[in-house]
Amino acid sequence: MGSLETERKTTGWAARDPSGFLSPYTYSLRNTGPEDVFIKVLFCGICHTDIHQAKNDLGMSNYPMVPGHEVVGEVLEIGSEVSKFAAGEIVGVGCLVGCCRSCRPCNTDREQYCPKKIWSYNDVYTDGNPTQGGFAGSMVVDQKFVVKIPDGMAPEQVAPLLCAGITVYSPLNHLGLTGSGLRGGVLGLGGVGHMGVKIAKAMGHHVTVISSSDKKKVEALEHLGADEYLVSSDAEGMLKAAESLDYIIDTVPVFHPLEPYLSLLTLDGKLILTGVINTPLQFLTPLLMLGRKEITGSFIGSMKETEEMLAFCKEKDLTSMIEVVKMDYVNTALERLEKNDVRYRFVVDVAGSKIDP
């Protein structure tokens, strides 16, 4: 199907200033181009990054801003050169909607590291128009950044996989940490952390959840299937666990010391940073040198990895643990998320909400 001639409009919930408060906002969508997919948004997960962006925590926010980068929707229309998707199919859109397609990362299926990548929201398309996210009725997205959701997967359960799930899967895949028998740690048991436990367990790893308190111990061990639970303030427990982990996925999105967790890593162990933190972290170099340990970062995953991750989750019957809310609850949900008051990911039922002003 070709492009529509009339201008489209949709309504989303947008932040208009660093207060981060969202309210209805109607804006234009581009017509369906040859390689575009026009999508009716069904569900959209709420990520901690949405708070950072809406409140300008990183000092780079532009308003009005419609957040949301864990989008699952139904294809309404496809462009004339789109062959991978068809109207009526359920698809997903993650953190990116564009890249240069000519740099080394783009040419090696690692487009998430493209220096000219275009974010799903709080960014600008090559035509100068702002990008807006999934807290909205519809989106128009280049087919390269759309992924088909495997049949049989519940769309509301899939939404968090498009950020939280791939954020864990990609570094484990890239660093060769997918084999069974490894001993892994997950620092922080939120949206990304709970998927870290599930994916690592499905890979056959012995998983230790590391948290600042024992509040989530029962949930981690009984509901998520973690093997051990370690409280970071328990000096005896931390000492006993020293040099026992092959890797730690650090999901904490606020400042925290690294030394206590580096001590948990074995020889050649890896501390994988996935939380967006806007203050400098520090550590003592001997903690790395004397165990040849590594601190590394990872950012979401490629579209190829996202497809692989979804297939893996389908095969292993992995789902996210979510709380589904309507759009008019989104500001309360953001406040609760900031207080870690969610188990473990909010998902907005966009299609089932009244979003018009």
Side-chain angles (χ1 to χ4, degrees):
M1 189 180 296
S3 301
L4 293 180
E5 296 301 325
T6 57
E7 182 183 59
R8 288 199 190 94
K9 289 187 178 295
T10 193
T11 299
W13 277 50
R16 289 170 168 79
D17 56 55
S19 71
F21 184 83
L22 306 185
S23 59
Y25 168 64
T26 299
Y27 54 98
S28 298
L29 293 176
R30 70 174 181 268
N31 296 329
T32 308
E35 294 195 25
D36 284 337
V37 181
F38 178 38
I39 300 166
K40 173 186 177 181
V41 178
L42 300 177
F43 295 95
C44 187
I46 303 178
C47 174
H48 206 280
T49 301
D50 296 326
I51 298 174
H52 284 311
Q53 296 282 24
K55 292 192 172 186
N56 197 28
D57 288 343
L58 305 178
M60 48 185 253
S61 296
N62 298 291
Y63 303 99
M65 176 202 304
V66 178
H69 59 229
E70 298 178 344
V71 185
V72 176
E74 177 187 351
V75 177
L76 297 181
E77 181 186 45
I78 59 172
S80 58
E81 296 180 16
V82 175
S83 58
K84 292 174 58 178
F85 307 102
E89 290 184 331
I90 305 301
V91 297
V93 179
C95 295
L96 302 181
V97 293
C99 64
C100 78
R101 306 190 189 220
S102 61
C103 66
R104 183 182 176 191
C106 285
N107 289 332
T108 52
D109 290 321
R110 296 175 294 180
E111 64 280 342
Q112 74 271 32
Y113 298 113
C114 171
K116 297 182 180 179
K117 59 182 168 288
I118 301 174
W119 304 91
S120 299
Y121 68 89
N122 193 35
D123 207 344
V124 180
Y125 288 112
T126 53
D127 64 5
N129 288 314
T131 63
Q132 302 290 8
F135 293 176
S138 55
M139 299 176 73
V140 177
V141 182
D142 187 296
Q143 65 172 333
K144 178 176 176 61
F145 296 93
V146 179
V147 62
K148 189 177 186 305
I149 304 303
D151 293 338
M153 297 185 79
E156 67 274 19
Q157 293 283 352
V158 172
L161 301 181
L162 299 171
C163 175
I166 190 61
T167 293
V168 172
Y169 182 89
S170 179
L172 293 179
N173 180 55
H174 171 69
L175 295 169
L177 299 170
T178 58
S180 62
L182 293 173
R183 299 180 67 90
V186 175
L187 176 58
L189 196 58
V192 176
H194 96 285
M195 286 311 307
V197 175
K198 288 193 164 201
I199 288 174
K201 285 297 297 179
M203 290 178 174
H205 299 180
H206 181 282
V207 179
T208 298
V209 169
I210 310 161
S211 187
S212 59
S213 74
D214 61 2
K215 288 191 300 184
K216 298 180 180 179
K217 183 175 182 177
V218 172
E219 299 168 29
L221 298 176
E222 297 184 8
H223 300 164
L224 297 177
D227 299 287
E228 296 185 48
Y229 191 93
L230 187 58
V231 178
S232 57
S233 59
D234 176 8
E236 184 178 345
M238 291 286 284
L239 184 61
K240 184 178 179 181
E243 300 185 4
S244 66
L245 301 177
D246 296 302
Y247 67 86
I248 296 173
I249 299 173
D250 182 345
T251 73
V252 177
V254 295
F255 175 84
H256 56 287
L258 299 184
E259 282 96 340
Y261 311 109
L262 290 169
S263 68
L264 299 177
L265 295 172
T266 188
L267 177 66
D268 292 324
K270 296 171 176 60
L271 178 64
I272 306 164
L273 304 179
T274 64
V276 177
I277 303 171
N278 61 354
T279 53
L281 302 179
Q282 61 185 32
F283 59 91
L284 298 175
T285 57
L287 283 171
L288 296 183
M289 297 162 56
L290 298 178
R292 203 166 59 190
K293 301 173 185 180
E294 300 176 23
I295 298 175
T296 186
S298 184
F299 172 63
I300 55 169
S302 67
M303 296 309 298
K304 181 179 179 181
E305 283 180 314
T306 302
E307 291 177 344
E308 293 172 359
M309 179 272 302
L310 289 172
F312 176 82
C313 290
K314 173 70 184 290
E315 177 191 352
K316 301 294 185 179
D317 195 27
L318 296 184
T319 58
S320 51
M321 294 180 67
I322 61 174
E323 180 177 337
V324 179
V325 300
K326 300 296 186 182
M327 186 66 82
D328 60 7
Y329 189 80
V330 69
N331 288 301
T332 303
L334 289 167
E335 290 175 4
R336 287 179 53 193
L337 174 59
E338 208 162 13
K339 300 173 184 175
N340 295 318
D341 179 24
V342 58
R343 301 294 187 270
Y344 284 93
R345 201 69 150 187
F346 284 115
V347 174
V348 180
D349 177 6
V350 179
S353 301
K354 185 181 186 305
I355 60 175
D356 293 330

